[in-house]
Structures are given as structure tokens and as C-alpha cells.
Amino acid sequence: MAQGNDTTVTEFILAGFTDHPELQVVLFLIFLVIYVLTLLGNLGMIGLIWRDSRFHTPMYIFLSNLSLVDLGYSSSISPRVLVSFSRQSKAISYAGCAAQLYFFFVFATAESLLLAVMAYDRYVAICNPLLYRLIISKRSCIWLLASSYVAGVANATMFTSCTFQLSFCGPNVIDHYFCDVLPLMRLSCTDTHNNEMLLSIFAGSIQLTTILIILFSYLYITAAILRIRSSEGRRKAFSTCASHLTAVAIFYGTTVFIYLQPSSTSSREQDQVISVFYTVVIPMLNLIYSLRNKEVKAALGRITPAPGKEQAESPGERRQSTPCCEDTKVSEVGVMEEKNCTIATQFILMGFTDDPKLQVSFFVLFLVIYFITLVGNFGMIILIRISSRLHSPMYFFLCSLSVVDICYSSVVTPKMLANFLAENKAISYSGCFSQMYFFVAWVCTECFLLGAMAYDRYVAIYKPLLYSSVMSRKVCVPLVAGSYITGFTNAMITVCVITRLSYCGSNIISHFFCDTSPLLALSSSDSSIAENTISLLAGFTCISSLLIILFSYLYILAAILKIHSAEGRHKAFNTCASHLMAVTMFYGTLIFTYLRPNSSYSLGQDQVASVFYTVVIPMLNPLIYSLRNKEVKDALRRSLGRGSGFKMNVFPCHFNNQ
């Protein structure tokens, strides 16, 4: 009876992210930039692979199809999202909604299977290299690709037909930015239990099958790599899989979370945040295949040769092309030359320039920056200590950040200033590695402190009523202590690995301080193990802390979008703006410097990036947090107006136990 009087839905309304006009403009620009990058990157990859005959191999055929699939499933979502941002009506027809869901599942399923196919391809290439051409033949490639697309179409047909067999006779507002299965099921006025079970079974079987293929492929790949005796061979074998592993981790991490959870436990904000990641961001991030692939970068270089490329070769490349270089001598004389080489007892820091006038100018510039760094960070520590209103977890972390900034700036800058005025720019062997140890320790500590600060902001905005109990002294002190312990452990491993290398050739470091990259380039022994170890440590530090920051801000964004008042949103966003700015500057330069192969090391590039994060960022951090923070400015005015003395404890950072 009731069902007979219900009105059948003929269109749906996509609720999207927010109704606030200003936020819609900002989100429109962000999504537009991401979509343009996705189109350019993936179309460029397809064009490059089909244009260059060197890429007519199974690995790159699969990669071009992955780019095609990324274009497909991004284009099934992003244009509609952009249209919704730019107009008031967010309606989508019943047929349009079904078509969007269908094509999204076609391409998403095809991507899952393609990633498994690519893992199998890498398994054959590494475990059975002599049979590779026979097993992964043209016929096999076509069959594997066709199977992925056919399975995608079949899966999408089943999902779409099951979903739209349901009755939609009540509200037609979809609590999402595109037509996805879970929000559509919530709108149905019939029982969705069977459909939900069917969805979980099919999604689970596809995910489980592809993950098992990938897992077993990489287990065999790992076993094969460990059997390779030469470190260069292991590095080369692993590098062919690194990009694929990254793409797999990002894609499956988000899709498993979304579709293999019961519909009853999902929430709109959670689903939106995770869905943005795998529908919009991942198709753009798959450009990591080009950024990490030497052959792709070489092909791009052939298409668009850079002027002065010969002059831009790295030190390692120049050394190999010189007929009378030290490496050639070592390879000719072998053990005798290595036995008779003179071990370096000190290093010479090249610095920026040998011009005396420029050295004086640099000295004055860096002295001013260092002075501002010390005054700003010490001022922040003292202000937080003497102002009782700043005795909170947020400012406890900020005080610790200032301590770290002072320390790692002081590890590098005083020696650099001394070298500007001294003729002898030598640094002892032990002094060099001490500088490296403390620098790596403080930088890694800062990474994890920024992660802890992001988590603090997540709790403050996402769970404000539980903030005092969650971020108690018992939690904050271990977070800071853990950051220090991890940083110093990381530094110890890094220095131990590098000190095992031999330095019996040139002792001139092409840098202004003892950093890992120039010391690896200077080594006269095989540095591949050290390079891989340092890359793993740097990757773990950056990626783990970045993931904490990323997921914290995804949840923060979801919480901010739920706030109805513009003033509330503005206030919530303001508490994160300074931290976001500091994170962007710090990680941008750090990732550029350390998460790239040693072979691509460039003196000029590294010096510019290193100056920024070793000298400039420690100066900017207190300015960013004080100039953009009303509480800090108010505390500073009260302290200056009061003009009273203060007492400092041995440990400067403090907050009330709430």
C-alpha cells in the first residue's frame, strides 16, 4: 500500500562537499588543477610510450593502459564535480547517475586487475628473465589486458544492475559528490541487506584475488632479489618494482577501506575524504612512474633536450666520461691501488663561492638570518614559558619545534659563517660526521614533531570535547620523546652506514656542510648499499610522518566542512594555517633533496634546497607561528606591557596538566 503511493525518484541531488560559496570556489580551483595535471600527465605518458619504439615492451604497454584507465575513471567523476561547484543546481538524472556509477566501476575494477597483471609481469622479468619474452608475449599481453577490461565491464554491469534494481521513493539527496554504491544504498526505501552482502562478496573477491597475485609475485621477487650477489644488481632489480609498489599501496589502501567495510559503519565525511583520494588524487599520483623511471625521463629528455645538458652532468657522470679519472685507475689496478690509497683524515667544504667580495656578502646575509633564527626561536620558547595562557599541548609542541630549529640550524650555520671568513675551509673527519649525525637527528626529529602537531590539531578540531583527555601530559611527553628517539636512532644508522665507506681519493665536499649526498658521491668504494639504506630511512621518515599529517588534515577538512557558520570554519582553519605552511615548506625541500637517486645529484640544486631548509626555514617557523597566531601576539603584548621578570625551568617547554 505504502509503496504504491510512493513517488519514484527521477533525479538525484549530489550534496557535494559544502554549500559555502567561497569554499566552493577554492575547491573548484583545487580540483581543476588536479584534473588538468591528471589529463596532461596520463595523456603525455600514453603519447610518449607509443611514440618511442624503446617503450614497445610489455611493461610499458601495461603502463600505457594504466594511464588510459586512470583517465577513464578520473573523467567519470571530476568533470561532474567541477560542474557542481560552478552552478547552483547539483541535480543529476537517474540515467546519468547510473552511467557514472557504471563507468567508474568499469575503470576502477580494470585498474585493480591491471596492477595485478603488472606485478606478474615484474615477477616474470626478475624471476624468469630468460623466459620473459616467451611467457609475456604479445599474445599474452593482449589476453591479460582484454581480461582486465572484460572483468571490469562484467563487474560494473553486476554492481549497477543490483544497485538500480532497488526502489528510490524517498529523499533523493546523495550524501556524496558522485554516485557511489554506499550512499545510493542508504537512499533506498527497500531492504538493502542482500545487495550489501553481494557488494561485499564481489568487491572482496576482486580485491583479495588481485592482492594475492601481487603479494605472491612480490614474495618471489624478494626471494630472487636476495639471491643476486651484486649490490648494483639488487638495486636495479628493486628499482623496477618501486614505482609499482607505491601505486599499489596507495590504491588498495583507500579502496579496501571504502568497500570492504559494512555500510552501517561508514560515515559521509569519512567516505568523502577517502574517495577524493582514490578518485581524484591517485590518477594524478600515478605520474610517479615517470618521476622515478630513468628510461621515461631519458625519453622526455630526447624529446625536449635541455640547453647546456653536457654541462649539467652530475659529478659521477663527468668522472665516468673522463679517460684518466680516478675510477678508471682503480678499475685498472684493482686491489693494489685500493691498498695504497691515502685515507682522508679531513674534508674541504667547497661552500658557495671563492670570490672574496661575495663571501663577505654571504657572511653578512647568513649572520643576519642566523641572528633572527636565534632571537625568534628563543623568544618563542620564553614567551610560551612565561605566559600561562600558552601552557597547552599545541604550544608545548611548538616550543619543542623551536628547540629543534635552534639545534639543527646551529649544527650547520656557525661552521658555514666561519668558512666565509677563513682561508682554510677544512673540517676534520670526526667533525664532519658529528655534524652529519646531529643534523640528521634534528631534521628527523622535526619531521615527527610536525606529524605530532598535525595529530594534535586533528584531535582539537575533530574531537574537541575529548581534547583534554586525549592530549594529556602522559600522551604529549611520549610523543615528543618518541620524536627525539626516532630522530637520533635514524641518525646513528645513517652515520654508521656512511662511515663504513672508503674515502681515499678527493677530499673536497661539493657542499657547504657535511651532508649525505655529497659524501656518497665522494666515496671511492661501492656506495649502493649505503645509498639504498639511506633512501629507505629517509623514505620511512618522510612517508610515515607525511601520512600522519595527510590523514590528520583529511579528517580536519571533513570536520571543517561540517561547521555551519563561516566564522566557525574560519577560526578552525586558522588554527591549522601556520602548521600547514610550515609543513609545505619543510617537506617540499626535504623530499626534493633526499628522496631521489644519488646519480641525479646536482651541486647547484642541492645547495639552493639545502640553504632553504637548513637556514631559512628555522628562521621562518617562529615568524609564521607568531605573525599568524592571535594568542601568541596577545601574549607578546601582555608580556611587553607587564615588563616583569620571569623564571625559567631547566626544561623550557611546559603545559598545564588538564
Side-chain angles (χ1 to χ4, degrees), residues 120-434:
Y120 175 70
D121 171 72
R122 291 300 83 208
Y123 153 72
V124 177
I126 293 172
C127 296
N128 298 296
L130 300 178
L131 299 174
Y132 181 69
R133 294 287 183 184
L134 182 64
I135 297 174
I136 310 293
S137 61
K138 184 178 179 180
R139 183 177 179 181
S140 300
C141 288
I142 294 172
W143 185 85
L144 288 169
L145 289 171
S147 300
S148 300
Y149 287 113
V150 169
V153 170
N155 190 44
T157 303
M158 187 277 300
F159 268 71
T160 308
S161 59
C162 285
T163 303
F164 284 89
Q165 279 179 358
L166 298 171
S167 299
F168 299 97
C169 49
N172 66 338
V173 179
I174 298 175
D175 285 333
H176 215 355
Y177 61 91
F178 75 101
C179 293
D180 200 5
V181 171
L182 297 177
L184 278 167
M185 283 187 176
R186 293 190 202 110
L187 286 184
S188 175
C189 53
T190 53
D191 183 20
T192 62
H193 178 72
N194 292 335
N195 298 72
E196 186 179 334
M197 290 296 296
L198 196 63
L199 168 66
S200 298
I201 291 168
F202 273 87
S205 61
I206 291 169
Q207 297 277 29
L208 189 61
T209 303
T210 51
I211 287 174
L212 284 175
I213 293 170
I214 293 167
L215 181 63
F216 280 104
S217 296
Y218 274 105
L219 285 174
Y220 282 105
I221 287 169
T222 303
I225 290 175
L226 292 175
R227 287 199 299 266
I228 299 172
R229 294 185 178 181
S230 70
S231 56
E232 180 62 25
R234 287 194 297 269
R235 187 193 65 80
K236 188 176 179 182
F238 179 75
S239 65
T240 63
C241 308
S243 301
H244 179 259
L245 265 175
T246 308
V248 165
I250 295 171
F251 181 79
Y252 280 97
T254 51
T255 52
V256 167
F257 179 84
I258 284 287
Y259 292 107
L260 294 190
Q261 59 169 340
S263 181
S264 56
T265 63
S266 64
S267 69
R268 176 192 172 189
E269 292 75 22
Q270 250 184 6
D271 286 359
Q272 280 190 345
V273 168
I274 304 298
S275 298
V276 164
F277 204 73
Y278 77 85
T279 59
V280 181
V281 179
I282 287 177
M284 178 188 70
L285 288 182
N286 279 342
L287 294 175
I288 52 181
Y289 280 102
S290 61
L291 295 176
R292 291 187 58 90
N293 193 301
K294 188 177 178 181
E295 292 177 348
V296 173
K297 287 190 282 189
L300 284 171
R302 288 191 295 270
I303 295 173
T304 56
K309 185 180 177 182
E310 292 81 5
Q311 290 78 8
E313 290 178 327
S314 67
E317 292 170 330
R318 285 199 299 270
R319 195 162 59 229
Q320 290 171 1
S321 63
T322 306
C324 55
C325 63
E326 289 179 7
D327 284 354
T328 307
K329 289 181 180 177
V330 171
S331 64
E332 288 173 356
V333 251
V335 179
M336 290 295 294
E337 180 69 12
E338 189 172 341
K339 285 182 180 177
N340 295 328
C341 75
T342 305
I343 303 298
T345 57
Q346 64 177 16
F347 297 100
I348 308 297
L349 294 168
M350 284 274 290
F352 297 97
T353 178
D354 293 326
D355 190 332
K357 293 181 180 178
L358 280 176
Q359 283 186 336
V360 172
S361 301
F362 279 132
F363 174 82
V364 174
L365 174 64
F366 285 104
L367 180 63
V368 170
I369 291 174
Y370 185 53
F371 178 75
I372 295 171
T373 301
L374 293 179
V375 171
N377 284 289
F378 273 121
M380 182 67 74
I381 293 168
I382 293 168
L383 185 64
I384 291 170
R385 184 66 189 88
I386 65 174
S387 179
S388 59
R389 298 189 184 184
L390 301 183
H391 292 176
S392 65
M394 174 181 169
Y395 294 103
F396 174 71
F397 291 124
L398 181 53
C399 179
S400 301
L401 184 69
S402 291
V403 172
V404 170
D405 281 338
I406 289 170
C407 291
Y408 90 77
S409 178
S410 298
V411 168
V412 174
T413 310
K415 180 61 183 175
M416 181 174 59
L417 292 172
N419 284 347
F420 283 136
L421 301 179
E423 290 185 9
N424 183 9
K425 299 183 178 181
I427 183 171
S428 66
Y429 186 90
S430 58
C432 184
F433 286 104
S434 296

Side-chain angles (χ1 to χ4, degrees), residues 20-23 560 563-573:
H20 195 273
E22 292 178 0
L23 278 176
I560 290 175
I563 299 172
H564 295 293
S565 68
E567 180 64 26
R569 283 193 296 268
H570 176 73
K571 186 177 179 181
F573 180 76

Side-chain angles (χ1 to χ4, degrees), residues 26 49 251 308 469 515 637:
V26 173
I49 289 170
F251 181 79
S469 59
D515 199 6
R637 277 193 291 266

Side-chain angles (χ1 to χ4, degrees), residues 401 405 446 450 453-454 457 546 549 553 573-589 612-613 616-629:
L401 184 69
D405 281 338
E446 176 138 347
L450 289 171
M453 293 171 76
R457 293 299 81 210
L546 267 176
I549 293 166
Y553 275 104
F573 180 76
N574 265 355
T575 62
C576 309
S578 301
H579 180 260
L580 265 176
M581 196 179 300
V583 164
T584 304
M585 291 191 304
F586 183 76
Y587 280 95
T589 51
F612 201 76
Y613 74 84
V616 179
I617 287 177
M619 175 190 70
L620 292 179
N621 277 346
L623 297 176
I624 291 168
Y625 281 101
S626 60
L627 294 176
R628 293 189 59 89
N629 193 305

Side-chain angles (χ1 to χ4, degrees), residues 497-511:
V497 167
I498 294 184
T499 50
R500 293 182 65 183
L501 301 175
S502 300
Y503 299 94
C504 51
S506 172
N507 68 336
I508 298 174
I509 297 176
S510 301
H511 214 353

